[in-house]
Amino acid sequence: MPIKFYFSPMSSAEVTRAVLAELEHGQSEPLAETINVKITEGEAKTDKFLSEVNPNGLVPVIVHDGVAIWESAAITIYLAETFGVNRKVDGVSAPLFPESGTRRGEAMKWIVWPNLHLAAHTLPLYDGQPPEVKALESRARADIAKSLSVLNGALEGRDYLLGSEYTLADTHVWSFVNYMTMLKFELSETPNVENWFKRVSDRPQLKALD
């Protein structure tokens, strides 16, 4: 049964969109059917969506074999473990996720990391927030800058998060860092992140998402 992917543009569903683009690249058939959800029109708050897709009324969500999985990090890990480990292109092994073991643990660590250390601090950066929330913007920007410095240190001497090989952990973190650039964070202050970001952004399957 094909995966159903519930998507809305300019949301964290862009993360899942990028992960699927990597997994589907070089394959003869898509992994997922994309279902666009009009968030601004309340489509994620209908009784049907809340009861059958996500009771939190949010995207991204995937439904696979009748089971709904939400939260972008959980979705990335599920897709990576299910479709990324033994992935092949034209019969040739082309994995995007490590086998079980410490390297997989490292990949999972990085997949969870941006949800907690980047996205969690962004609310005060948006226009239209109440004054008491907007007042936290300077602190939020400092917290995000500190987290980008952590990423910068982790990438010292590495092409990718796990070393020389690209994995879906890079895809997941890249999606969040891409969003940070939209929020006017300058990657030039973290040169390892800047070089890694350019390297990942140059992948044809991610370029095609623009």
Side-chain angles (χ1 to χ4, degrees):
M1 181 181 296
I3 296 169
K4 290 184 178 180
F5 167 40
Y6 292 83
F7 170 79
S8 184
M10 294 302 294
S11 74
S12 57
E14 297 283 4
V15 180
T16 305
R17 182 172 173 240
V19 168
L20 284 168
E22 287 285 3
L23 288 168
E24 292 175 345
H25 185 69
Q27 306 301 309
S28 59
E29 298 289 339
L31 276 177
E33 170 197 359
T34 300
I35 300 171
N36 288 293
V37 180
K38 297 176 182 177
I39 299 291
T40 57
E41 297 180 19
E43 289 186 353
K45 304 298 183 182
T46 64
D47 290 342
K48 182 177 177 63
F49 189 93
L50 294 172
S51 63
E52 297 181 7
V53 182
N54 186 353
N56 301 294
L58 298 169
V59 295
V61 183
I62 63 169
V63 178
H64 189 206
D65 291 339
V67 177
I69 302 167
W70 59 79
E71 303 299 337
S72 64
I75 293 169
T76 296
I77 291 170
Y78 177 78
L79 291 172
E81 290 186 334
T82 306
F83 302 103
V85 178
N86 298 312
R87 179 176 176 271
K88 293 183 178 181
V89 175
D90 295 329
V92 178
S93 179
L96 285 170
F97 207 61
E99 299 279 355
S100 295
T102 55
R103 280 177 56 78
R104 182 178 293 188
E106 189 177 9
M108 293 168 72
K109 169 187 73 179
W110 281 113
I111 289 169
V112 173
W113 178 82
N115 296 63
L116 298 176
H117 296 281
L118 296 178
H121 299 295
T122 57
L123 185 62
L125 309 185
Y126 303 140
D127 293 334
Q129 296 300 319
E132 63 271 19
V133 174
K134 201 63 180 172
L136 301 173
E137 181 171 0
S138 294
R139 178 179 173 181
R141 285 193 170 274
D143 287 338
I144 292 171
K146 181 179 178 181
S147 294
L148 289 172
S149 294
V150 169
L151 180 60
N152 193 67
L155 286 166
E156 181 67 35
R158 293 185 169 196
D159 288 339
Y160 301 107
L161 287 168
L162 270 62
S164 60
E165 297 178 3
Y166 178 87
T167 72
L168 291 176
D170 293 287
T171 318
H172 189 92
V173 178
W174 171 85
S175 297
F176 283 91
V177 174
N178 187 44
Y179 190 57
M180 295 304 108
T181 66
M182 296 179 189
L183 294 173
K184 309 303 182 184
F185 282 90
E186 293 294 335
L187 298 185
S188 58
E189 298 178 9
T190 50
N192 295 330
V193 175
E194 183 176 40
N195 291 334
W196 164 86
F197 182 76
K198 289 178 180 177
R199 193 175 298 119
V200 177
S201 296
D202 281 341
R203 292 177 67 82
Q205 48 271 46
L206 299 181
K207 277 187 171 183
L209 298 176
D210 294 337

